Amino acid sequence: MSRLFVVFSVRQFRRQYSSSRLSEIGRFQVPKTQGKYEGGQLFLHKIFGYRGVVLFPWVARVYDRDREAKDDEKNFEDNSGFNNIGKELKADLQTYYQTLIDTRDSPFIRTQPEIVTFLGQERDNSLYTIPGLDYVSHEDILPYIISDPFTKPINHELFDKFLSPEPGRVPPFTCKDSLQAWHEKNHRWLELTDVHRETTNQIRVTVMPFFMGAKTTQPSANYWWRYCIRLENLGPETVQLRERHWRIFSLSGTLETVRGRGVVGQEPVLSPQQPAFQYSSHVSLQAPSGHMWGTFRLERPDGSTFDIRIPPFSLESKEEETPPTNIIA
């Protein structure tokens, strides 16, 4: 196995402090092509480069529109997304992992560490955030073993609560009962069921929607969802996200249009050196279900712009359910 260096942090430190040093953290392992990673597995994120640890797996339905033939790639209207929502797509079952992000790397990565938010249950309408969590596909896991088994490999307030060292084991950390209990308690808000992908002009958009809960105010209720979006530049040209255009359909019969500059107050640049950006946002409906779709407008270095599709995705509320047990490897 080859040595592993923290090259992902070095790039950021060079930009901000003009001086840097390499720090060895361990040795790469051969990525798994069969089976799943166990809880306690340390990894580098293939796209964002942060240090992380696997907590437990999810099995998600991945709807990849890139596999579907597109009759009109260049000329499309915003309402084409709505017309295609009912189009049956064959979903592939793929493994994603709930992971912890090392807090030392959070300031230097192009993804929001506050991805998981949910509403309090029953009459508690407070908004809760669980910082430093992520959802990582199996293919984005680069597993490694730490050099010093006596050092804490990941800085995160939940690491010691959920994992305990077990020298001689691979991975050398095991899941505590507290992790299983936490998973069962928050299963409804954490569960990843569907992933949607679509690529336009070499820019791939991936969407992961999650139900957050409902706020009840007589005589009606507001249902809330969060959605995580990743943009990836698969081409050689640098582009910048300038605008977003959303269409939001509610089962109550309303259709809302939302336009604005950038996303979450940013207009990220997607370059060959830093091709990806990930963020999360929220939406509410006065109905238990609906759909969203839309476009992002990107700008090339010469000032010309083009639109890319946001794949349509469903917003579904979840009934109270008993979470599965014994899923932690």
Side-chain angles (χ1 to χ4, degrees):
M1 291 182 287
S2 60
R3 288 186 176 182
L4 174 65
F5 296 97
V6 194
V7 295
F8 52 92
S9 293
V10 169
R11 291 196 188 100
Q12 303 293 343
F13 284 135
R14 280 177 177 164
R15 289 192 184 92
Q16 298 191 18
Y17 304 111
S18 71
S19 63
S20 61
R21 65 183 180 88
L22 292 173
S23 176
E24 182 180 341
I25 61 172
R27 293 180 298 169
F28 274 124
Q29 296 174 279
V30 178
K32 286 180 178 290
T33 56
Q34 301 290 332
K36 300 177 182 178
Y37 292 105
E38 298 182 37
Q41 175 66 60
L42 302 172
F43 69 92
L44 292 186
H45 194 291
K46 183 179 180 181
I47 303 299
F48 296 109
Y50 64 74
R51 288 165 285 188
V53 62
V54 170
L55 295 181
F56 47 80
W58 295 110
V59 177
R61 297 184 294 264
V62 178
Y63 297 92
D64 193 343
R65 290 178 176 267
D66 296 341
R67 297 186 178 182
E68 301 295 318
K70 296 182 175 63
D71 296 330
D72 189 359
E73 178 68 24
K74 294 183 180 180
N75 183 21
F76 64 94
E77 300 293 336
D78 288 346
N79 62 5
S80 65
F82 179 69
N83 292 334
N84 287 331
I85 288 174
K87 181 181 179 180
E88 184 176 353
L89 296 178
K90 182 179 179 181
D92 291 329
L93 296 181
Q94 297 184 21
T95 300
Y96 278 69
Y97 299 94
Q98 195 85 65
T99 65
L100 294 181
I101 300 173
D102 194 310
T103 57
R104 293 169 295 184
D105 300 329
S106 294
F108 310 110
I109 58 179
R110 286 156 56 88
T111 180
Q112 289 179 305
E114 292 79 24
I115 185 177
V116 175
T117 53
F118 61 94
L119 296 173
Q121 299 182 17
E122 298 178 352
R123 296 183 179 180
D124 181 4
N125 285 329
S126 299
L127 179 65
Y128 294 89
T129 299
I130 307 175
L133 290 180
D134 200 2
Y135 294 82
V136 183
S137 68
H138 185 89
E139 62 186 12
D140 284 342
I141 296 285
L142 296 176
Y144 73 89
I145 299 176
I146 54 175
S147 300
D148 185 353
F150 298 101
T151 61
K152 183 178 178 180
I154 301 296
N155 280 9
H156 193 287
E157 61 182 352
L158 296 177
F159 184 87
D160 291 332
K161 178 180 179 180
F162 290 160
L163 300 164
S164 59
E166 187 173 326
R169 182 178 179 271
V170 178
F173 298 92
T174 57
C175 300
K176 295 182 178 180
D177 292 341
S178 57
L179 178 57
Q180 181 73 28
W182 179 81
H183 172 270
E184 293 177 6
K185 178 182 178 181
N186 297 289
H187 176 270
R188 191 181 183 197
W189 327 113
L190 295 173
E191 184 182 18
L192 173 62
T193 58
D194 298 326
V195 178
H196 304 264
R197 292 177 183 162
E198 186 164 5
T199 302
T200 312
N201 292 339
Q202 295 187 291
I203 307 297
R204 182 166 61 193
V205 178
T206 302
V207 183
M208 294 181 287
F210 303 87
F211 180 59
M212 290 175 55
K215 284 187 176 182
T216 303
T217 54
Q218 297 298 331
S220 61
N222 285 334
Y223 297 84
W224 285 82
W225 291 263
R226 71 182 188 273
Y227 53 91
C228 175
I229 293 186
R230 181 195 294 185
L231 296 99
E232 293 179 76
N233 186 353
L234 307 180
E237 187 176 43
T238 296
V239 296
Q240 185 169 10
L241 191 154
R242 292 301 193 186
E243 299 176 12
R244 68 188 185 278
H245 181 195
W246 282 107
R247 305 297 295 276
I248 306 168
F249 175 77
S250 171
L251 188 63
S252 62
T254 62
L255 178 61
E256 183 180 3
T257 297
V258 178
R259 291 183 181 270
R261 295 287 294 182
V263 290
V264 293
Q266 300 185 51
E267 297 180 21
V269 174
L270 306 176
S271 66
Q273 293 74 31
Q274 291 187 310
F277 179 82
Q278 181 173 293
Y279 76 96
S280 59
S281 190
H282 307 88
V283 64
S284 67
L285 302 176
Q286 291 184 326
S289 65
H291 296 94
M292 289 181 66
W293 69 97
T295 57
F296 291 125
R297 178 156 294 175
L298 282 79
E299 183 178 341
R300 300 183 180 93
D302 63 7
S304 62
T305 62
F306 63 97
D307 290 345
I308 62 172
R309 296 182 183 90
I310 306 171
F313 56 95
S314 297
L315 302 171
E316 299 291 345
S317 59
K318 297 179 180 179
E319 300 297 331
E320 291 292 343
E321 56 187 21
T322 302
T325 58
N326 300 323
I327 69 162
I328 300 176

